[in-house]
Amino acid sequence: MKVLVLTGMSGAGKSKTLKLLEDNGFYCLDNLPTKLLYEFVNMLMQLDEFPQKLAVTADVRNRGISDELTKEIDMMKRVVDVRVLFLDSEDNVLLKRYKETRRLHPLMMFDDKMDLQTAIAEERHLLESVRANANFVIDTSYLSSSELRERLLEVIKSDAPGKMSINFVAFGYKYGIPSDADLVFDVRCLPNPFYIPELKTLNGEDKEVQDFVMCQEASKALYQRIIDYLECAIPMYEKEGKAQLVCALGCTGGQHRSLTFAIFLAKYFAEKGFRTTGGSRDKNKNLTEIKSRDKQ
């Protein structure tokens, strides 16, 4: 049996993710008390026909989640393959989602004097160690439903035999560093295609931009050093049991330099046998801003 424990910030999309897992053949259970995880899995294993893939959610409604979850997972590892997926989201996005749905945050159910912002901060503190020890972290702040499905499929695939999954994510520093990044590389030191009129509204997926970025000697040197670092570090991550690595590459808007690097690095490590993705979190956001300014 393979067990995926789904946890994370309230409002980050656990319910939607659980439905996606169910569509992909998982037997799903929502918010089983953390203390019962090992006992429940053990009970399922006694059945003549038990589910091969089980997904269970756990959140701060289990008040002792931080200590209890670690203990239960350690016990489950004796009999099944267990992974933990943590869904995260930026505080301002969580605030907006709660205001739109008008739902009550779980911690506010225990303290009616607590406001929403305090509840989110307290939950983040309670889940700090859970997030740090998770096998996978997905930041859902700006993911569409289809993008969430793609990221989830990468998590599911990572249970198959083979090398770890590496996600190369381009981002714009003016929009903030992705919260799910394991490693962050800054490529703002490279010549910026934004200031070339014919490249301004293109992005790192376009050959013209790729040629401009990668023909620079500085780009070639930095690109090789990033590869050297990753080829040194990845075996260490694999030895520690990490199944997924999120490498964030940042430039000003996440449109040109960082996206070019993300695409090239994804291709390079895919040829080495890794499961990779390469894309930008912010390219459309930045292009919208550029077009809006140009109209003005």
Side-chain angles (χ1 to χ4, degrees):
M1 182 188 290
K2 292 183 182 293
V3 179
L4 183 65
V5 178
L6 177 61
T7 184
M9 297 295 292
S10 302
K14 289 192 292 293
S15 296
K16 183 185 290 186
T17 302
L18 198 65
K19 290 177 182 177
L20 291 173
L21 287 168
E22 191 169 32
D23 291 342
N24 280 276
F26 280 79
Y27 179 89
C28 297
L29 193 64
D30 190 18
N31 200 38
L32 181 74
T34 315
K35 287 182 178 180
L36 298 179
L37 274 174
Y38 174 70
E39 186 179 337
F40 178 73
V41 168
N42 226 7
M43 180 186 72
L44 285 181
M45 296 284 286
Q46 307 307 313
L47 300 176
D48 292 335
E49 293 186 11
F50 56 82
Q52 297 300 307
K53 298 188 293 184
L54 171 69
V56 185
T57 64
D59 60 34
V60 288
R61 284 174 287 181
N62 294 286
R63 298 307 298 272
I65 184 171
S66 183
D67 294 330
E68 289 174 4
L69 191 58
T70 301
K71 181 181 176 182
E72 293 294 309
I73 286 173
D74 285 343
M75 289 193 294
M76 282 193 292
K77 282 180 177 177
R78 301 172 190 167
V79 291
V80 293
D81 180 10
V82 187
R83 300 290 178 91
V84 178
L85 168 59
F86 189 99
L87 297 184
D88 204 349
S89 191
E90 295 176 4
D91 288 359
N92 63 312
V93 176
L94 293 175
L95 282 166
K96 183 181 177 183
R97 288 175 183 173
Y98 268 103
K99 287 177 181 177
E100 287 175 349
T101 61
R102 298 185 180 181
R103 296 189 66 189
L104 200 63
H105 190 282
L107 291 181
M108 295 169 70
M109 298 176 186
F110 299 101
D111 184 352
D112 56 10
K113 294 180 181 178
M114 184 180 287
D115 61 44
L116 180 56
Q117 200 157 0
T118 303
I120 292 172
E122 177 64 17
E123 180 181 33
R124 195 170 291 285
H125 172 70
L126 290 171
L127 295 175
E128 190 174 4
S129 64
V130 176
R131 188 188 192 282
N133 293 309
N135 300 96
F136 310 96
V137 178
I138 297 179
D139 182 353
T140 67
S141 300
Y142 306 105
L143 292 183
S144 64
S145 295
S146 60
E147 288 170 333
L148 175 59
R149 185 181 295 107
E150 287 176 12
R151 294 293 303 276
L152 191 59
L153 287 174
E154 285 297 319
V155 169
I156 295 170
K157 286 177 186 175
S158 69
D159 276 335
K163 296 186 177 181
M164 71 156 59
S165 171
I166 311 175
N167 298 327
F168 294 97
V169 183
F171 72 95
Y173 271 96
K174 63 181 177 180
Y175 305 116
I177 297 172
S179 64
D180 57 347
D182 296 301
L183 299 169
V184 178
F185 298 100
D186 187 350
V187 298
R188 289 176 295 180
C189 53
L190 303 176
N192 193 350
F194 178 85
Y195 298 108
I196 309 298
E198 57 269 28
L199 301 180
K200 185 177 180 179
T201 57
L202 300 180
N203 63 60
E205 294 175 346
D206 296 303
K207 188 176 186 302
E208 299 91 328
V209 172
Q210 293 177 357
D211 289 345
F212 176 87
V213 172
M214 299 310 293
C215 76
Q216 312 291 333
E217 289 302 319
S219 298
K220 294 175 184 176
L222 183 59
Y223 178 70
Q224 187 57 52
R225 281 164 175 74
I226 292 175
I227 286 176
D228 291 342
Y229 173 80
L230 290 174
E231 288 185 333
C232 174
I234 285 171
M236 300 180 195
Y237 282 117
E238 288 181 314
K239 188 177 180 181
E240 290 297 312
K242 194 167 183 63
Q244 181 189 52
L245 192 66
V246 179
C247 297
L249 299 118
C251 61
T252 307
Q255 176 187 343
H256 295 110
R257 296 164 290 181
S258 58
L259 180 51
T260 297
F261 265 56
I263 291 170
F264 272 63
L265 287 166
K267 182 180 179 183
Y268 176 88
F269 282 97
E271 291 172 352
K272 296 286 184 180
F274 293 92
R275 293 179 294 273
T276 68
T277 60
S280 174
R281 184 195 68 181
D282 302 324
K283 71 171 183 181
N284 293 330
K285 198 182 304 181
N286 196 54
L287 280 170
T288 301
E289 286 185 11
I290 292 170
K291 291 174 182 177
S292 177
R293 285 199 301 268
D294 288 347
K295 285 180 182 179
Q296 294 173 2

